[in-house]
Amino acid sequence: MQNGAGSSERGAARTDPVTGRNPVVLVHGIMATSRKMRWIAKHLEREGWETHSVDLLPCWGQLGIDELADQLKCFVDRAIPEGQPFDIVAFSMGGLISRYYLQRLGGLARVQRFISISAPHNGSLLAWLLPNAGCRHMRPGSAFLRALEADVRNLDRIQFTSFWTPLDLCVFPGNSSVLPAGENRRVWCLAHPLMVWERRIILQIEALLARRLTGAAGTA
């Protein structure tokens, strides 16, 4: 089930009672829509996951990441029943949107697994090319990023994985996706946009979503 921002209905999502798989919310990045996550969504659906893909608009950075995170929260509140655990897979700026939701909007109490793909967790030098609100937030050393960094270790309360490539070119430098929390996985992929289509990464995402939770992952 792949739902856009306006089509999700509360009550549809649930953890599979047989496999224990949570519904998965897919979050796209800048200059994109839910279509960017379609390849991952189709693979997960074939393997038995329920997916929900959000459209965060406008998508060119006109809004701050905090405002887009508010949209994500509203989407989740519509799509996922209250008290239902779920997982997030996010690409590029969607990783920062998801972090704000997790770290500032109560998401850590609901999400059990968070997987980011080529997210500019420490900013990207390319964000200096545009003066809009979203890109200002993504500039290295911005007040927005420093505030998230202050309690980044709270991500250790859930199962968090960040995928990154040294060849990213959009998140520059590529190791800006590395955080002192969770697990950081370096992969060799030729360019930023290809990360969501790379089969090796998708198979690892599937395995991570199926991995049994350990410790305090997923607790508030």
Side-chain angles (χ1 to χ4, degrees), residues 27-193:
V27 186
H28 65 82
I30 195 170
M31 302 179 188
T33 66
S34 58
R35 292 176 61 87
K36 186 69 176 180
M37 308 301 286
R38 181 174 295 178
W39 196 256
I40 295 175
K42 286 185 174 180
H43 176 88
L44 292 177
E45 289 166 5
R46 283 196 303 268
E47 299 302 320
W49 270 272
E50 177 182 329
T51 73
H52 298 264
S53 295
V54 61
D55 283 298
L56 303 172
L57 302 171
C59 62
W60 282 69
Q62 297 99 317
L63 297 180
I65 291 172
D66 52 346
E67 296 175 277
L68 295 175
D70 284 334
Q71 290 187 31
L72 175 60
K73 184 180 186 303
C74 289
F75 174 83
V76 166
D77 289 345
R78 291 195 305 269
I80 312 294
E82 185 177 356
Q84 167 63 56
F86 67 97
D87 303 327
I88 291 178
V89 177
F91 175 60
S92 191
M93 187 175 74
L96 286 175
I97 295 167
S98 300
R99 275 185 64 196
Y100 194 90
Y101 167 70
L102 289 163
Q103 294 178 238
R104 297 290 179 269
L105 301 180
L108 285 173
R110 305 198 61 189
V111 173
Q112 294 186 326
R113 300 170 185 86
F114 170 39
I115 300 170
S116 69
I117 309 163
S118 283
H121 290 303
N122 298 292
S124 173
L125 293 175
L126 294 188
W128 286 97
L129 297 179
L130 291 174
N132 58 36
C135 287
R136 288 197 299 271
H137 280 169
M138 290 190 289
R139 292 171 181 171
S142 71
F144 177 84
L145 292 178
R146 292 198 308 271
L148 286 183
E149 179 66 19
D151 59 352
V152 67
R153 294 309 298 261
N154 283 340
L155 294 177
D156 285 331
R157 290 158 50 184
I158 62 175
Q159 184 175 291
F160 166 55
T161 308
S162 174
F163 286 92
W164 69 283
T165 175
L167 308 176
D168 196 292
L169 301 182
C170 288
V171 175
F172 187 78
N175 63 2
S176 180
S177 296
V178 175
L179 282 178
E183 179 184 2
N184 297 283
R185 294 193 179 187
R186 183 180 65 180
V187 293
W188 292 96
C189 185
L190 289 178
H192 183 82

